[in-house]
Amino acid sequence: TFLLRDGRSTPHFYVPSIDAEDAAGLGAHPLSLTDFRTMGGEELALVEVPTPPDTPELRDRLRDAGIRTFEADVRFAMRFLMDRGIRGGIEIQGEWKPGKGVDRLYDDPEVTPSSWVPKLRMLSFDIETDPKAQRLLSIAIHGCGASEVLMFCPKGWEPAPEVRSYDSERGLLIGFCERVRELDPDILLGWNVVDFDLFVLDRISERVKAPVALGRDGSALRLRPQRGRFSNFEATISGRVVVDGIQLLRGAFIKMESYALDAVAKEVLGTGKVDITEENGQSSNGVDSKAKDIVRLFKTDRSKLAEYNLEDARLALEIVERFELLELAVERSRLTGLPIDRVASSIAAFDFLYLAELTRRKIAGPTVGQTGLSDEPISGGHVLEPKPGLYRNVLVFDFKSLYPSLIRTFHIDPLGYHRASEDSEPLMAPNAALFHREIRVLTGLLDELFPLREKAKADGDFTRSQAIKILMNSFFGVLGAPSCRFFEPRIANAITSFGRVVLKWAAEWMTNRGMNVLYGDTDSLFVGAGIDEPSEAHELGRQLATDADRELAQWVRARWGVESRLELELEGLYLRLFLPGLRGTRMGGEGARKRYVGLLDKPEGAELVFKGMEFVRRDWTELARRVQAELYEALFKDRREDVVATLSDVVSSLRRGELDKTLVYRKALRKDPSEYVTTTPPHVAAARKMSGPLPRLIEYVITTEGPEPVSEILHSLDYDHYIQKQIHPVAEPVLELLDLDFDEITGDKRQMSLF
């Protein structure tokens, strides 16, 4: 471990040279001329500031005076790494001496990039508190060779034999910090660890007058608010990195029905949290309250509480290890230069890579928020109208990494956009945006990344391949995000406009070859093979992809004078594919976009695939998903009788109360329930009936008296609601294909009277 101190670098940013005198009058000094320019070619002057915290006030003062700034929001530490081309790994040459809490202390050494891959030590921890998270009861740690529980045990209480006991919360907090420093992990892991565990510890530390001294040098935890997608706070611990298991999952684009630890553990590991409810599963007031169960165990069964606490810490670590999420974060850090806890920030990653390259060219990027926002909307990919129906042997073609490939092919780039006027024959996108054919940065970055990914795939390095894929696919979204310093709708729309042109070309090419194009969306085409034998359909698909690639390259070269980087590949074959119509319309009418069910041909056996259907939506019940899967499996096997039997059996079982556990709805609260004034969605109505703190994800059922939270069901379940609102909608498309009647099958057909 090491600490590197450098006193040779000075915090700085830029202003236009023509504004230098006015900027100096507002306190921007020392100020000097430089050979840096803006992306548009303007000359810039360098503004130095004594320390990084001096920058925001000066930057805002200049902005208020109408003076533009450039890179005045780049963190000084990140600037240090950018300027030296360091992404994660670092090589240090120079004299050193032992440091406080670290092996080596360097002052003003020589530093260069390194491709070194670290093996990091990870310690998972979890805290238990009273229901209001005001008292600290216990802390479990797991990893770095330890698996133990530290617990508050008031004087006079008998301590649990298998835990480290402390007679005060202050002692417990200090003991935890000492134990962490003894184990000396590189990574501190938890589940919602920043916004709960560390936030609570920080708050308790103020009350007990003891710092959360987790730093390698004994320094205290620092929390600061941040505007992020997943977290309310950012945690800084000197010499260590804090990572959240939830953020690692989401940042890796691993979708879960629920990100609660118990739900993820059951889905991933096959086991969940320790059950600590009483035998009847309820407390005396009828509320199943995990927080109250924790307090009960703290008072009556501290050994059981220790088991529960430790299991939470263990589950978090095992989930992260199962998906190799830390290894993925390390690879993303090595690619982007970002710290491990920030690699999910695609805008920050783009910033680091693009600004580093601009610096090499002596160009400064704009300061975020000072480029002006355009009201031009960002257009999406092209969607071909689906042809509703049930089909056999449907080929699915996919443009490999379409948006990154379009950027490479057509030289789409922020710098090239700003320098287009310097090209005598700039390349024009279908949306009329112009790009310089030679001056560009982004295409070079992608030219570097594409072969790296191919090599990673060839080497069987899934982690590195996935890291590169995530990074490349983020570039379009970044360019279309107003919070990005390089945001320009015309650049983002140039990408999507080329995408629409290319997809239309591919569809027309297939049609001209006599193929039946059934559907297309952004980068994919669904084409009827017109062949009964699957092996022959596969062979046809591969040949079509090869021929289309060749002719597409010729067309692109002839029309735009560039070499195509586009590659159409056969992604798969659906043995059966169902394209539904719009809900409420009869078959043969308008098709539903982004929705289909297919039986995908695979070597290990056919796989049922749902896209955009109720099966993959969290706001539908497990009952609906189960029924939908069974119905389409029967449909694709041409078992009409199984469709009838499935519906009949499910409705009968539902009415007998045998499927109650499958009737739970789950929906996240986006704001406080009191803020819903014009309408009251069901999950909000259920939330208003809950006792205690509200979770972000509301689980509720529909009863004869309306929505009620799962934890506090007071009335009978409304089975008719589930039949009509969950089973009927997912069954209707299948029944229409088979000319069957839902009410007749379920026994709900009523004889209507004549008047």
Side-chain angles (χ1 to χ4, degrees):
T1 58
F2 66 91
L3 170 63
L4 189 156
R5 301 188 301 198
D6 195 311
R8 298 164 295 182
S9 301
T10 305
H12 60 272
F13 60 91
Y14 303 90
V15 296
S17 296
I18 58 173
D19 295 325
E21 185 175 341
D22 291 339
L26 291 169
H29 54 75
L31 190 151
S32 58
L33 296 180
T34 177
D35 54 357
F36 271 67
R37 293 177 177 269
T38 68
M39 295 174 69
E42 297 177 74
E43 294 181 350
L44 292 172
L46 179 72
V47 179
E48 295 181 320
V49 293
T51 67
D54 296 313
T55 300
E57 191 274 334
L58 176 57
R59 176 191 67 211
D60 295 345
R61 193 187 320 145
L62 295 174
R63 179 200 61 200
D64 293 342
I67 297 176
R68 292 170 296 152
T69 62
F70 294 82
E71 299 187 6
D73 58 338
V74 178
R75 291 185 179 183
F76 181 52
M78 300 306 291
R79 166 58 64 198
F80 182 91
L81 299 175
M82 284 179 197
D83 291 349
R84 290 157 180 78
I86 296 169
R87 303 184 195 174
I90 185 172
E91 182 175 333
I92 310 170
Q93 296 183 6
E95 298 296 324
W96 60 272
K97 57 186 177 183
K100 180 183 178 182
V102 293
D103 299 326
R104 298 185 177 190
L105 168 62
Y106 291 90
D107 281 304
D108 296 335
E110 294 302 316
V111 295
T112 52
S114 169
S115 59
W116 174 73
V117 182
K119 297 295 184 182
L120 301 176
R121 291 162 47 82
M122 184 161 45
L123 181 69
S124 175
F125 78 98
D126 177 75
I127 73 171
E128 301 299 344
T129 70
D130 68 329
K132 294 184 178 180
Q134 293 180 342
R135 295 182 63 205
L136 183 61
L137 305 182
S138 67
I139 307 176
I141 56 177
H142 183 77
C144 296
S147 187
E148 58 198 43
V149 176
L150 295 72
M151 188 175 291
F152 169 40
C153 184
K155 293 179 181 179
W157 290 30
E158 182 177 348
E162 64 274 29
V163 305
R164 293 173 179 251
S165 296
Y166 301 85
D167 61 8
S168 68
E169 292 175 81
R170 186 176 191 275
L172 172 56
L173 179 59
I174 293 174
F176 168 63
C177 294
E178 289 176 346
R179 194 71 181 110
V180 169
R181 294 198 300 273
E182 288 171 4
L183 295 171
D184 198 27
D186 303 303
I187 306 293
L188 281 174
L189 168 72
W191 212 258
N192 195 26
V193 64
V194 177
D195 289 342
F196 180 73
D197 300 79
L198 290 179
F199 176 78
V200 171
L201 290 180
D202 189 57
R203 186 175 60 192
I204 289 175
S205 74
E206 296 180 5
R207 173 169 58 82
V208 302
K209 309 300 182 186
V212 188
L214 297 173
R216 273 200 158 112
D217 57 356
S219 59
L221 161 75
R222 288 176 292 158
L223 288 180
R224 64 180 181 184
Q226 73 166 7
R227 291 180 295 176
R229 181 181 174 189
F230 304 132
S231 179
N232 295 319
F233 292 92
E234 180 179 339
T236 300
I237 297 177
S238 294
R240 310 188 205 281
V241 175
V242 179
V243 296
D244 189 319
I246 300 175
Q247 291 192 28
L248 287 177
L249 278 174
R250 285 175 163 160
F253 300 95
I254 298 174
K255 293 184 178 180
M256 295 286 170
E257 182 171 333
S258 168
Y259 287 93
L261 178 60
D262 187 53
V264 175
K266 287 178 178 176
E267 183 172 344
V268 176
L269 306 175
T271 182
K273 295 160 69 81
V274 172
D275 185 6
I276 60 173
T277 57
E278 294 183 281
E279 290 186 5
N280 61 6
Q282 295 182 330
S283 56
S284 59
N285 65 355
V287 179
D288 181 7
S289 173
K290 188 63 61 70
K292 292 184 178 181
D293 285 330
I294 289 171
V295 172
R296 173 177 54 80
L297 290 181
F298 178 66
K299 295 177 179 178
T300 63
D301 191 349
R302 286 179 288 285
S303 294
K304 188 69 173 181
L305 176 60
E307 179 189 358
Y308 173 80
N309 194 183
L310 187 58
E311 184 72 351
D312 280 6
R314 185 188 68 81
L315 291 174
L317 184 61
E318 290 195 6
I319 290 167
V320 169
E321 289 178 339
R322 177 68 58 87
F323 284 117
E324 298 184 345
L325 294 176
L326 181 60
E327 290 80 359
L328 178 60
V330 168
E331 283 300 327
R332 295 175 73 179
S333 178
R334 295 177 65 224
L335 286 169
T336 65
L338 295 182
I340 292 170
D341 58 341
R342 296 191 66 215
V343 293
S345 174
S346 55
I347 291 177
F350 189 87
D351 251 12
F352 191 102
L353 296 175
Y354 205 93
L355 287 176
E357 182 59 27
L358 287 183
T359 297
R360 192 180 69 81
R361 300 178 184 218
K362 296 188 179 301
I363 298 171
T367 299
V368 173
Q370 295 195 21
T371 55
L373 295 181
S374 169
D375 57 1
E376 179 180 329
I378 305 298
S379 58
H382 185 62
V383 178
L384 301 176
E385 291 298 330
K387 299 177 181 178
L390 180 63
Y391 302 93
R392 290 184 183 274
N393 290 342
V394 176
L395 300 165
V396 182
F397 297 94
D398 178 80
F399 277 104
K400 184 178 177 181
S401 300
L402 176 62
Y403 285 172
S405 297
L406 290 170
I407 292 171
R408 295 178 75 202
T409 298
F410 298 108
H411 309 322
I412 301 171
D413 177 77
L415 182 59
Y417 175 81
H418 287 283
R419 297 289 178 89
S421 60
E422 299 176 16
D423 192 335
S424 59
E425 295 184 18
L427 193 150
M428 179 181 289
N431 71 330
L434 299 176
F435 298 91
H436 199 292
R437 291 175 180 268
E438 302 298 332
I439 299 176
R440 54 189 188 271
V441 173
L442 190 52
T443 51
L445 293 175
L446 287 169
D447 287 343
E448 174 189 342
L449 292 171
F450 262 86
L452 286 178
R453 183 168 187 239
E454 292 303 315
K455 183 178 186 306
K457 290 168 66 176
D459 294 343
D461 190 343
F462 172 80
T463 300
R464 185 162 177 77
S465 171
Q466 182 69 2
I468 297 171
K469 177 182 177 180
I470 291 172
L471 177 61
M472 292 194 305
N473 288 343
S474 73
F475 288 168
F476 165 73
V478 165
L479 293 173
S483 54
C484 175
R485 75 180 70 247
F486 302 107
F487 170 68
E488 171 50 62
R490 289 177 61 78
I491 298 176
N493 287 337
I495 299 172
T496 54
S497 66
F498 270 121
R500 290 192 294 273
V501 168
V502 167
L503 187 69
K504 289 179 181 178
W505 180 92
E508 292 175 3
W509 186 89
M510 291 287 180
T511 301
N512 292 337
R513 294 287 290 258
M515 306 305 296
N516 183 17
V517 177
L518 303 173
Y519 179 51
D521 185 354
T522 307
D523 59 355
S524 300
L525 277 180
F526 293 73
V527 180
I531 296 176
D532 292 334
E533 178 56 46
S535 61
E536 294 179 7
H538 275 289
E539 181 58 34
L540 172 63
R542 287 189 287 268
Q543 187 60 52
L544 287 171
T546 299
D547 294 346
D549 276 344
R550 183 182 63 254
E551 294 190 29
L552 176 60
Q554 295 171 354
W555 179 66
V556 167
R557 188 182 306 114
R559 181 166 177 179
W560 285 282
V562 295
E563 293 302 313
S564 173
R565 305 284 190 160
L566 299 162
E567 182 180 349
L568 186 69
E569 57 184 358
L570 178 65
E571 187 178 77
L573 172 72
Y574 281 105
L575 301 174
R576 304 297 298 272
L577 180 72
F578 175 64
L579 297 173
L582 287 177
R583 195 180 298 280
T585 63
R586 302 296 297 175
M587 190 59 62
E590 187 176 352
R593 298 181 174 191
K594 301 183 183 297
R595 284 167 56 86
Y596 59 83
V597 188
L599 195 63
L600 184 63
D601 189 26
K602 284 193 167 185
E604 62 272 20
E607 176 187 348
L608 201 59
V609 176
F610 290 86
K611 173 70 173 180
M613 305 292 282
E614 292 77 7
F615 184 84
V616 295
R617 292 177 55 182
R618 189 172 68 181
D619 54 350
W620 283 72
T621 63
E622 180 186 339
L623 172 71
R625 295 195 294 271
R626 180 188 300 180
V627 170
Q628 190 169 62
E630 292 179 2
L631 290 180
Y632 280 102
E633 184 175 356
L635 175 69
F636 291 158
K637 293 180 179 179
D638 297 316
R639 294 178 178 172
R640 178 189 178 97
E641 66 280 4
D642 286 357
V643 170
V644 175
T646 294
L647 284 177
S648 179
D649 291 347
V650 164
V651 170
S652 296
S653 298
L654 176 67
R655 292 194 183 280
R656 289 194 300 267
E658 298 171 359
L659 303 177
D660 289 1
K661 291 184 178 180
T662 69
L663 306 183
V664 179
Y665 289 96
R666 296 175 175 86
K667 194 168 181 64
L669 277 176
R670 302 299 180 187
K671 52 188 177 181
D672 190 273
S674 63
E675 297 180 38
Y676 291 86
V677 291
T678 56
T679 61
T680 304
H683 71 296
V684 175
R688 289 174 177 171
K689 298 176 182 179
M690 294 183 71
S691 303
L694 291 179
R696 182 174 178 272
L697 186 69
I698 304 299
E699 298 185 335
Y700 67 96
V701 293
I702 302 298
T703 73
T704 53
E705 296 299 320
E708 293 183 356
V710 170
S711 59
E712 303 173 52
I713 301 174
L714 302 177
H715 300 90
S716 301
L717 297 179
D718 185 352
Y719 295 133
D720 286 334
H721 162 86
Y722 288 98
I723 292 171
Q724 296 302 322
K725 301 297 184 181
Q726 292 288 291
I727 299 177
H728 192 177
V730 301
E732 190 59 32
V734 175
L735 299 181
E736 184 181 346
L737 282 171
L738 301 177
D739 196 25
L740 295 171
D741 184 88
F742 180 81
D743 291 337
E744 287 184 354
I745 294 174
T746 61
D748 282 352
K749 197 76 171 180
R750 300 288 186 262
Q751 178 67 43
M752 297 185 65
S753 300
L754 297 177
F755 295 95

